């Protein structure tokens, strides 16, 4: 019976047969899952298995009321309607710093040598590096316990990701059970991607079924991974390359190279183009070779990643706020194409900046269709003399917004005229002005300008900030137009207007309740996210972290920022002393607190929410956690860079200058006047050996 039905195409199935077929498919898929996942002994090929899943999914799509009939979607039981659960990473998932030239690469390698004392003192000691292609996909964390996959999480903001375990179980080249002998606890990290050919096929299918087509393989991979229904993910042939580890209880390997070998032995795919390099010229050779091969590879890569091979050195090098010091990405040059600039739109950002955006005749730039490009500001337009009607060269590098590189003057039509930036905001019609020291023209509408207000609110609820699910840009505009949201605090009062919202177009009781639940979930927020959410100019996610770490509580931060208005105060000094907060950023933060409307908005917002204090990541009885430390003179055992990094990784704050609030000063050889000043201030003075004893070494 089932064999007969199997021969009928989905579009010809009767409802009765569809029900039977769905049930059969459910049983078969479950059986193959068991064979593949649990017994590690698949009975059918990947493509036969995919066909079963695709058929099941197509039937469900055509007969949606039959979904209950034991279909695989129920078997997996993972239709998480409310979105994905959040998972905190045991070790942050970092990003990478980039270099674009050999010279910058040289500086990076020198920096590594300068950090590690033995390499600094002896230039003959080789610094082996592993060169890996940089896969243009999404990073993923896979946690295994006693060899079994326990959960899979996306990177998220690096600290908290989304639990995508059920979806990941549908990927064929991720082992659910590790082969051979793996550590009891091991978190494997790597990249999920879609091959170029699978991407083409997927888009073909999408357009045939009238669904959304994706701009590039990376977006398609992201869209496929973040499906609420794992059955949909199962129809997308996502793949995975493993390249790093996260949380472990024991050392995993002595070198990156050895670790990659272990990964292979446990059943992971490791990129076959990875090379072990002994020198900078080896790295460049590997880079050039892969750059030439790039177009022939069936997956997108956007550069190379070079990693210090020695894992002890990796650990000693550690990480700065967002990227490790032991790895660097060497990006490929941007891809370029020519097209015609049709018009110039003006966008108004959340801080009022007017950004001219070129509207282009659609053009394919390295596999991505580009329709607009940023023109940055009016100086840029003037410098390049960019005019509407011009033929322009566009460049696109990775995730960066495409840019206009140059104008092809010989192709310029006669009728063009130089472009003039508007002197009024296109949205609120208030003057748009430019101060002497700024390249940007800004709308002076402030709170009155709806473009600014909308952008600020959008930022406030965005992923790295309050992360309110279901409250995207469109809803913010509608709620604002209906007078439901004027300032951030109103978001937390939206439930009062449930009757209005339920009656808005496209809304109902259920969807409104879902939104209110998502908002409720965000009444508690960590300080770092809160600071970022405020959208202060220049204060991004990393700044949020730095400020939270330094000031710990919201109250404390707020008071300090108000006090810092006096640029001779200790508070000002403390703010600019933070590594990563420059004077110009400090000015923007202080400016934010100078505006009474910001203070008012903060007051009503903080009545609605609970801002969690910054919590130091747990460290084993660190004696120096929370202490303020100054180093002076030359240390014998480690370089200054390593000493500072070590202290910071144990929770101390390392400062360049002494003050009353300094807890310890560590005095090396040839220390200058600081040691004496410390004695005057009553700061505890430690020798290098006292210091090492304090660290427990
Ligand atoms: S290592 C701490 N290796 O690039 C080091 N990353 O731009 C973490 N990526 O977030 C990353 N290929 O998603 C590493 N061979 C590779 C990679 C790779 C691609 C991605 C990864 C990372 C991003 C940073």
């Amino acid at each position: 019976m089932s064999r007969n039905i199997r021969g009928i195409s989905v579009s010809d199935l009767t409802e009765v047969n569809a029900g039977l077929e769905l049930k059969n498919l459910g049983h078969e898929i479950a059986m193959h899952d068991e064979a593949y996942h649990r017994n590690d002994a698949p009975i059918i090929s990947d493509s036969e298995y995919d066909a079963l899943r695709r058929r099941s999914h197509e039937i469900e799509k055509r007969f949606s009321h039959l979904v209950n009939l034991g279909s695989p979607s129920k078997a997996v039981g993972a239709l998480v309607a409310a979105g994905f659960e959040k998972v905190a990473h045991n070790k942050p998932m970092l990003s990478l710093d980039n270099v674009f030239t050999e010279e910058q690469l040289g500086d990076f390698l020198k920096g590594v040598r300068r950090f590690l004392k033995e390499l600094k003192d002896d230039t003959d000691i080789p610094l082996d590096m592993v060169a890996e292609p940089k896969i243009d996909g999404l990073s993923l964390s896979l946690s295994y316990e006693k060899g079994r996959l326990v959960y899979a999480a996306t990177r998220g903001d690096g600290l908290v990701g989304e639990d995508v375990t059920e979806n990941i179980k549908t990927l064929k080249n991720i082992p659910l059970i590790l082969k051979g002998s793996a550590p009891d606890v091991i978190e494997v990290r790597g990249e999920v991607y879609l091959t170029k050919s699978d991407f083409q096929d997927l888009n073909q299918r999408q357009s045939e079924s009238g669904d959304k087509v994706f701009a590039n393989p990376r977006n398609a991979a992201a869209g496929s991974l973040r499906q609420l229904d794992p059955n949909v993910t199962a129809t997308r042939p996502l793949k995975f390359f493993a390249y790093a580890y996260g949380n472990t209880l024991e050392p995993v390997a002595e070198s990156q190279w050895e670790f990659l070998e272990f990964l292979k032995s446990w059943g992971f795919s490791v990129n076959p183009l990875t090379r072990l390099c002994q020198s900078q010229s080896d790295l460049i050779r590997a880079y050039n070779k892969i750059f030439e091969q790039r177009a022939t590879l069936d997956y997108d890569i956007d550069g190379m990643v070079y990693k210090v091979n020695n894992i002890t050195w990796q650990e000693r090098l550690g990480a700065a706020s967002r990227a490790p010091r032991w790895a660097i990405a060497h990006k490929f040059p941007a891809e370029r194409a020519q097209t015609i600039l049709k018009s110039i739109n003006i966008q108004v950002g959340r801080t009022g900046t007017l950004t001219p955006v070129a509207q282009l005749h659609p053009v394919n730039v390295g596999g991505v269709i580009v329709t607009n490009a940023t023109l940055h500001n009016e100086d840029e337009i003037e410098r390049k003399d960019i005019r509407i009607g011009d033929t322009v060269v566009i460049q696109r590098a990775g995730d960066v917004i495409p840019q206009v590189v140059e104008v092809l003057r010989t192709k310029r039509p006669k009728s063009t005229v130089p472009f003039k930036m508007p002197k009024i905001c296109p949205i609120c019609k208030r003057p748009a002005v430019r101060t002497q020291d700024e390249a940007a023209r800004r709308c002076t509408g402030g709170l009155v300008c709806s473009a600014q207000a909308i952008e600020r609110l959008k930022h406030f609820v965005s992923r790295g900030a309050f992360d309110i699910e279901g409250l995207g840009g469109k809803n913010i505009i509608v709620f604002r137009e209906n007078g439901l949201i004027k300032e951030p605090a109103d978001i937390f009062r939206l439930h009062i207007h449930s009757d209005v919202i339920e009656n808005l177009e496209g809304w109902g009781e259920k969807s409104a309740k879902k939104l209110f639940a998502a908002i409720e979930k965000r009444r508690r927020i960590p300080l770092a996210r809160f600071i970022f959410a405020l959208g202060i100019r220049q204060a991004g996610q990393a700044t949020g972290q730095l400020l939270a770490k330094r000031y710990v509580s919201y109250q404390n931060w707020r008071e300090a920022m108000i006090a810092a208005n006096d640029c001779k105060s200790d508070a000002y000094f403390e703010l600019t002393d933070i590594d990563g907060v420059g004077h110009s950023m400090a000015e923007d933060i202080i400016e934010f607190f100078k505006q009474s409307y910001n203070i008012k908005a903060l007051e009503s917002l903080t009545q609605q929410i609970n801002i969690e204090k910054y919590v130091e990541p747990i460290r084993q009885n660190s004696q120096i956690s929370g202490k303020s430390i100054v180093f002076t003179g030359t240390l014998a055992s480690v370089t200054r860079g390593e000493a500072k990094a070590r202290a910071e990784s144990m929770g101390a704050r390392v400062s360049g200058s002494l003050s009353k609030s300094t807890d310890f000063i560590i005095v090396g050889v040839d220390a200058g006047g600081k040691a004496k000043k410390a004695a005057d201030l009553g700061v505890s003075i430690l020798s290098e050996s006292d210091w090492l004893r304090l660290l427990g070494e």
Side-chain angles (χ1 to χ4, degrees):
M1 172 74 175
S2 69
R3 191 165 298 141
N4 293 340
I5 300 177
R6 190 62 44 93
I8 305 172
S9 75
V10 173
S11 54
D12 295 336
L13 281 175
T14 61
E15 183 165 340
V16 174
N17 278 349
L20 287 171
E21 178 69 337
L22 207 50
K23 226 174 182 171
N24 286 335
L25 284 166
H27 290 309
E28 275 175 61
I29 291 170
M31 192 257 292
H32 290 304
D33 278 344
E34 171 112 358
Y36 179 88
H37 297 319
R38 213 163 288 155
N39 309 337
D40 225 3
I43 301 162
I44 53 174
S45 72
D46 285 4
S47 56
E48 284 168 311
Y49 176 87
D50 289 344
L52 293 181
R53 279 203 167 261
R54 211 172 307 129
R55 183 168 168 85
S56 163
H57 184 64
E58 280 165 13
I59 298 176
E60 285 186 0
K61 226 169 127 184
R62 207 183 133 210
F63 301 95
S64 55
H65 55 292
L66 296 181
V67 172
N68 275 331
L69 289 171
S71 85
S73 68
K74 292 292 152 192
V76 187
L79 271 174
V80 194
F84 298 98
E85 288 298 315
K86 304 277 173 205
V87 244
H89 298 298
N90 272 319
K91 252 172 84 177
M93 285 184 85
L94 300 171
S95 144
L96 289 170
D97 283 336
N98 296 322
V99 294
F100 290 91
T101 63
E102 285 186 41
E103 194 188 347
Q104 290 170 338
L105 171 61
D107 290 344
F108 167 77
L109 295 171
K110 273 185 223 135
V112 170
R113 282 198 167 269
R114 227 178 290 121
F115 189 98
L116 297 166
K117 194 164 177 79
E118 58 271 48
L119 296 193
K120 187 179 174 203
D121 294 346
D122 182 351
T123 47
D124 287 340
I125 299 179
L127 172 59
D128 286 0
M129 302 287 294
V130 174
E132 302 170 7
K134 186 168 185 300
I135 315 298
D136 195 7
L138 304 130
S139 43
L140 182 75
S141 144
L142 301 167
S143 294
Y144 291 85
E145 279 172 24
K146 297 215 178 334
R148 280 177 182 276
L149 177 71
V150 284
Y151 68 80
T154 60
R155 177 175 183 275
D157 64 0
L159 299 174
V160 177
E162 285 176 328
D163 180 347
V164 287
T165 316
E166 294 307 322
N167 289 1
I168 284 307
K169 284 185 182 165
T170 69
L171 265 70
K172 292 297 171 54
N173 78 336
I174 290 186
L176 295 190
I177 294 172
L178 299 182
K179 290 193 197 139
S181 57
D184 271 358
V185 174
I186 175 96
E187 181 196 344
V188 171
R189 293 177 177 179
E191 204 81 355
V192 174
Y193 66 99
L194 204 56
T195 63
K196 294 179 192 168
S197 39
D198 285 334
F199 162 69
Q200 301 290 358
D201 290 351
L202 171 62
N203 263 358
Q204 172 102 36
R205 272 191 277 148
Q206 293 284 105
S207 73
E208 276 165 14
S209 58
D211 288 318
K212 163 185 162 192
V213 294
F214 296 99
N216 55 47
R218 186 178 187 280
N219 287 2
S224 304
L225 183 60
R226 296 192 73 257
Q227 284 289 334
L228 291 181
D229 178 357
N231 288 297
V232 180
T233 310
T235 65
R236 312 274 174 87
L238 292 169
K239 296 203 167 60
F240 180 76
F241 276 129
Y243 53 63
Y245 62 88
N247 184 39
T248 58
L249 295 181
E250 51 194 302
V252 281
E254 285 184 10
S255 67
Q256 173 72 8
W257 191 257
E258 185 187 35
F259 174 64
L260 295 177
E261 290 299 320
F262 285 147
L263 284 173
K264 285 186 235 172
S265 74
W266 299 335
F268 289 100
S269 303
V270 169
N271 191 288
L273 304 173
T274 302
R275 295 286 174 267
L276 183 59
C277 296
Q278 253 104 34
S279 63
Q280 180 168 344
S281 45
D282 272 4
L283 289 174
I284 296 299
R285 250 192 303 279
Y287 172 95
N288 288 334
K289 187 132 189 254
I290 288 175
F291 183 57
E292 278 165 25
Q293 270 177 284
R294 184 183 189 190
T296 65
L297 299 176
D298 196 24
Y299 44 86
D300 275 341
I301 58 176
D302 55 350
M304 298 289 287
V305 182
Y306 307 138
K307 301 175 179 176
V308 169
N309 190 36
N310 180 323
I311 286 189
T312 310
W313 288 348
Q314 281 189 7
E315 276 163 13
R316 278 174 54 194
L317 283 153
S321 74
R322 58 177 282 281
R325 294 190 193 87
W326 49 267
I328 196 87
H330 188 178
K331 290 296 216 41
F332 291 144
E335 309 212 49
R336 294 183 172 190
Q338 284 180 23
T339 189
I340 294 176
L341 191 155
K342 293 192 302 186
S343 63
I344 295 177
N345 277 3
I346 305 294
Q347 278 177 3
V348 185
R350 64 165 205 269
T351 55
T353 310
L354 304 195
T355 306
V357 179
Q359 306 298 307
L360 308 165
H361 188 77
V363 60
N364 186 328
V365 193
V368 175
I369 306 295
V370 173
T371 51
N372 47 42
T374 177
L375 296 170
H376 301 289
N377 52 52
E378 54 193 301
D379 287 353
E380 171 92 356
I381 297 181
E382 202 181 308
R383 193 167 51 242
K384 293 182 181 162
D385 188 18
I386 299 169
R387 301 181 184 190
I388 295 169
D390 270 339
T391 297
V392 289
V393 175
I394 305 298
Q395 114 171 352
R396 183 187 67 88
D399 278 350
V400 188
I401 307 168
Q403 299 180 333
V404 172
V405 189
E406 60 171 335
V407 170
L408 300 174
R409 287 294 182 87
T410 52
K411 296 195 172 176
R412 172 170 285 172
K414 284 212 172 68
S415 56
T416 64
V417 287
F419 179 75
K420 282 206 176 63
M421 267 304 261
K423 307 281 182 294
I424 57 162
C425 168
I427 307 294
C428 72
K429 315 289 181 220
R430 297 264 181 330
V433 299
R434 206 180 144 176
T435 54
Q436 263 178 351
D437 55 344
E438 274 196 322
R441 188 169 283 279
R442 275 176 212 289
C443 157
T444 53
L447 291 183
V448 182
C449 176
S450 62
Q452 286 189 46
I454 289 168
E455 290 306 316
R456 268 198 300 270
L457 287 166
K458 276 205 234 165
H459 172 81
F460 185 83
V461 300
S462 68
R463 265 180 136 211
F466 271 75
D467 189 19
I468 299 177
E469 199 119 12
L471 190 57
K474 268 199 219 127
N475 289 334
I476 285 184
I477 295 172
V478 175
F479 290 166
R480 218 179 149 271
E481 278 169 357
N482 283 279
L484 306 178
I485 301 181
K486 287 196 195 67
E487 54 166 346
D490 295 331
I491 292 171
F492 295 94
R493 292 191 282 252
L494 269 179
H495 58 279
I496 303 170
H497 309 291
S498 60
D499 48 339
V500 183
I501 295 175
E502 283 168 19
N503 289 310
L504 289 173
E505 202 187 311
W507 286 85
E509 193 185 331
K510 221 167 120 199
S511 50
K513 282 226 169 81
K514 206 168 133 191
L515 174 65
F516 301 149
I519 293 171
E520 274 319 297
K521 265 187 23 203
R522 295 290 181 263
R523 273 194 205 266
R524 289 186 77 84
I525 185 163
L527 178 59
R529 269 178 179 266
F530 175 79
I531 296 175
F532 172 65
L534 298 180
I536 302 172
R537 229 195 285 170
Q538 299 195 58
Q541 273 173 303
T543 312
Q545 281 291 338
L546 293 173
L547 294 170
K549 193 168 175 192
R550 172 63 59 110
Y551 296 101
V552 184
S553 74
Y554 166 67
Q555 221 52 34
N556 192 24
W557 176 58
R558 197 186 81 123
E559 279 162 26
M561 294 309 97
I562 292 169
N565 188 18
D566 169 5
C567 67
K568 291 200 178 64
S569 63
D570 280 354
Y572 183 82
F573 190 70
E574 189 180 7
L575 176 62
T576 50
D577 187 47
I578 301 174
D579 217 353
V581 178
H583 283 272
S584 135
M585 189 192 288
E587 294 301 333
D588 281 337
I589 302 170
I590 294 164
E591 183 60 33
F592 178 87
F593 280 90
K594 269 186 9 205
Q595 303 301 336
S596 60
Y597 52 81
N598 283 335
I599 299 288
K600 259 175 66 190
L602 276 175
E603 264 165 23
S604 53
L605 175 61
T606 49
Q607 278 170 18
Q608 296 292 330
I609 61 170
N610 213 322
I611 305 166
E612 292 166 8
K613 279 190 178 172
Y614 175 80
V615 202
E616 275 293 332
I618 305 155
R619 301 172 209 285
Q620 309 92 352
N621 10 315
S622 164
Q623 299 254 31
I624 57 167
S625 165
K627 299 277 192 271
S628 166
I629 290 174
V630 172
F631 288 99
T632 183
T634 311
L635 301 174
S637 59
V638 286
T639 61
R640 177 75 71 81
E642 184 171 357
K644 180 168 183 266
R646 183 83 210 284
E648 283 174 347
S649 77
M650 294 179 78
R653 280 185 279 129
V654 179
S655 169
S657 47
L658 266 175
S659 76
K660 288 197 298 285
S661 56
T662 307
D663 292 294
F664 303 119
I665 180 164
I666 292 97
V667 183
V669 183
D670 294 332
K674 271 191 192 156
K676 187 181 171 307
K677 186 175 168 204
D680 296 342
L681 286 169
V683 171
S684 305
I685 302 176
L686 303 183
S687 68
E688 185 170 351
S689 50
D690 294 337
W691 165 244
L692 292 175
R693 221 168 295 125
L694 191 67
L695 297 184
E697 285 175 5

